[in-house]
């Protein structure tokens, strides 16, 4: 929801906000409609992007731990800024309950101008 509230600031910084999850498109659509999101949500159901970016919880030990199984094969909460050439300029990976760092992201975008 924080990205939606700050969407005008990201647009003013010439940035495209995308949400990516391992959920199916239908689940993302329901989620976006429920929260009124106006930016695209992409599905990585094959877990290619989340694995390539190192944010997939794919430790097999999690599958055997009742407290951690719900997070197995789920993406960690992550934020990336990728420039037009495809270079990662900012990356942050946090606990699933981490607060979205919109101020940090907007500062990075400002420095990239």
């Amino acid at each position: 929801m924080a990205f939606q509230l700050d969407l005008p600031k990201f647009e003013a910084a010439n940035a495209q906000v995308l949400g990516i999850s391992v959920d199916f498109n239908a689940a993302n659509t329901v989620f976006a409609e429920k929260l009124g999101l106006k930016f695209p949500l992409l599905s990585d159901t094959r877990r290619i992007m989340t694995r390539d970016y190192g944010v997939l919880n794919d430790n097999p030990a999690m599958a055997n731990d009742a407290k951690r199984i719900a997070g197995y094969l789920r993406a960690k909460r992550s934020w990336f800024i990728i420039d037009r050439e495809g270079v990662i300029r900012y990356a942050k990976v946090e606990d699933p309950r981490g607060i979205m760092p919109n101020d940090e992201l907007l500062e990075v975008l400002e420095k990239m101008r």
Side-chain angles (χ1 to χ4, degrees), residues 2-12 15-17 37-39 102:
F3 280 117
Q4 183 59 46
L5 294 173
D6 285 341
L7 194 56
K9 293 178 184 177
F10 285 101
E11 290 171 343
Q16 170 66 59
V17 174
L37 303 181
K38 302 298 181 200
F39 55 87
N102 286 355

Side-chain angles (χ1 to χ4, degrees), residues 39-76:
F39 55 87
L41 295 182
L42 308 176
S43 294
D44 182 29
T45 55
R46 292 181 16 201
R47 293 161 172 83
I48 293 170
M49 182 178 285
T50 49
R51 188 171 281 118
D52 286 351
Y53 278 75
V55 298
L56 183 66
N57 285 313
D58 59 356
N59 179 348
M62 292 178 76
N64 298 320
D65 182 342
K67 292 182 181 177
R68 297 172 54 208
I69 194 168
Y72 182 59
L73 296 180
R74 303 297 297 174
K76 299 170 188 171

